[in-house]
Amino acid sequence: MTLRALIFDLDGTLAETEEAHREAFNRSFADRGLGWHWGRDTYGRLLKTAGGKERLRAWQDGLPAGAPRLGDDEIAQLHQEKTARYGEILARGGLSLRPGVADLVAAAREAGLKLAVATTTSRRNVEALCRCCWRRPADAVFDAIASGDMVAAQKPAPDLYLLALDKLALPADHCLAFEDSLNGLLSARGAGLRVAMTASAYTRNEDHSAADWRLQGLETGPLPPVLRAALAG
Ligand code: XBP
Ligand code: MG
């Protein structure tokens, strides 16, 4: 099989973004005077639900009976406010790529591989991360972007990776996925992809044994043999 493209998950894989997301959620709660606050332990549990709006609904479902609840339109509005806060955090340079990511992306581009993103977060947040960490628009870094606002079913459903493959116009067996979470692993495998895992701060205790490769980090390697061969040209 000739490797033709790398498909990267974004949150937790390209960068440790979830503390910035958590801060943005908490700021949007405070702005509205909701009296909600997500600590790390709570957020770690809520991260089992992919997608910020879906996560807000899962949070509400766990509130005591009789607690005030937001309707779907209010959830959508609150999530837009959260996304604005997240963009402000990244615009202040509040984030950097995980070690090894910039070098791998540059080496893959140099070797003629296509590069894609398959992420549950929004297209707007993909743009914010690329401008913050690469100082370039997302379309200048990646050949194809599949984001949560483009599909109906979030990870672990395969929809995002199937959309990335469609945008790349490549079959799954010519591509390699990089993920940090079990939801992402299941999504990529569901789309027929082989998966290299780099667990992140919030996913270190998950069971990633179904992955094809489990790396400590992209900078420590060893990279999957199929990728090493493609980079060697
Ligand atoms: C991780 C997610 C996202 C982020 C929050 O996405 O599940 O929901 O936690 O971003 P990835 P939004 O697939 O990149 O790991 O609030 O924009 O959803
Ligand atoms: Mg992730």
Side-chain angles (χ1 to χ4, degrees):
M1 183 285 292
T2 310
L3 186 64
R4 302 278 307 283
L6 305 183
I7 307 177
F8 292 93
D9 162 58
L10 190 150
D11 293 305
T13 299
L14 291 180
E16 286 279 13
T17 57
E18 293 298 352
E19 280 302 278
H21 282 300
R22 185 171 71 92
E23 182 181 343
F25 277 113
N26 285 329
R27 283 191 187 178
S28 64
F29 301 158
D31 289 348
R32 278 190 172 233
L34 288 171
W36 299 349
H37 181 81
W38 290 350
R40 282 187 174 82
D41 291 347
T42 299
Y43 194 61
R45 285 195 301 278
L46 289 170
L47 269 173
K48 302 280 182 283
T49 302
K53 290 192 287 294
E54 294 80 0
R55 192 165 306 142
L56 285 165
R57 290 189 202 106
W59 159 255
Q60 279 205 136
D61 291 347
L63 291 178
R69 275 167 171 70
L70 303 179
D72 258 5
D73 291 348
E74 291 174 299
I75 290 268
Q77 178 59 38
L78 176 60
H79 189 251
Q80 282 180 10
E81 291 159 13
K82 172 264 174 181
T83 300
R85 296 285 160 277
Y86 179 75
E88 290 162 7
I89 292 168
L90 268 60
R92 288 200 299 274
L95 200 66
S96 50
L97 295 172
R98 284 186 67 176
V101 167
D103 289 345
L104 175 57
V105 164
R109 180 65 75 195
E110 181 66 24
L113 296 180
K114 294 283 188 194
L115 299 169
V117 168
T119 176
T120 309
T121 196
S122 59
R123 178 65 179 77
R124 181 173 170 183
N125 287 349
V126 177
E127 196 67 29
L129 180 116
C130 290
R131 289 181 185 273
C132 173
C133 297
W134 274 285
R135 296 277 179 267
R136 294 158 67 199
D139 287 336
V141 182
F142 296 102
D143 300 294
I145 296 168
S147 57
D149 44 338
M150 299 177 188
V151 295
Q154 301 304 341
K155 300 174 183 178
D159 301 46
L160 279 164
Y161 279 98
L162 291 171
L163 178 59
L165 289 170
D166 184 59
K167 287 185 170 223
L168 287 166
L170 286 171
D173 62 1
H174 284 65
C175 304
L176 175 61
F178 288 86
E179 268 286 352
D180 75 305
S181 71
L182 179 57
N183 276 337
L185 169 56
L186 295 173
S187 176
R189 292 302 294 265
L193 285 153
R194 289 175 298 169
V195 188
M197 294 298 289
T198 52
S200 58
Y202 275 108
T203 67
R204 287 203 197 296
N205 298 324
E206 292 182 332
D207 176 5
H208 295 161
S209 55
D212 298 272
W213 298 278
R214 281 183 282 173
L215 290 70
Q216 281 304 312
L218 292 177
E219 82 287 7
T220 53
L223 293 175
V226 65
L227 176 53
R228 290 206 305 272
L231 296 180

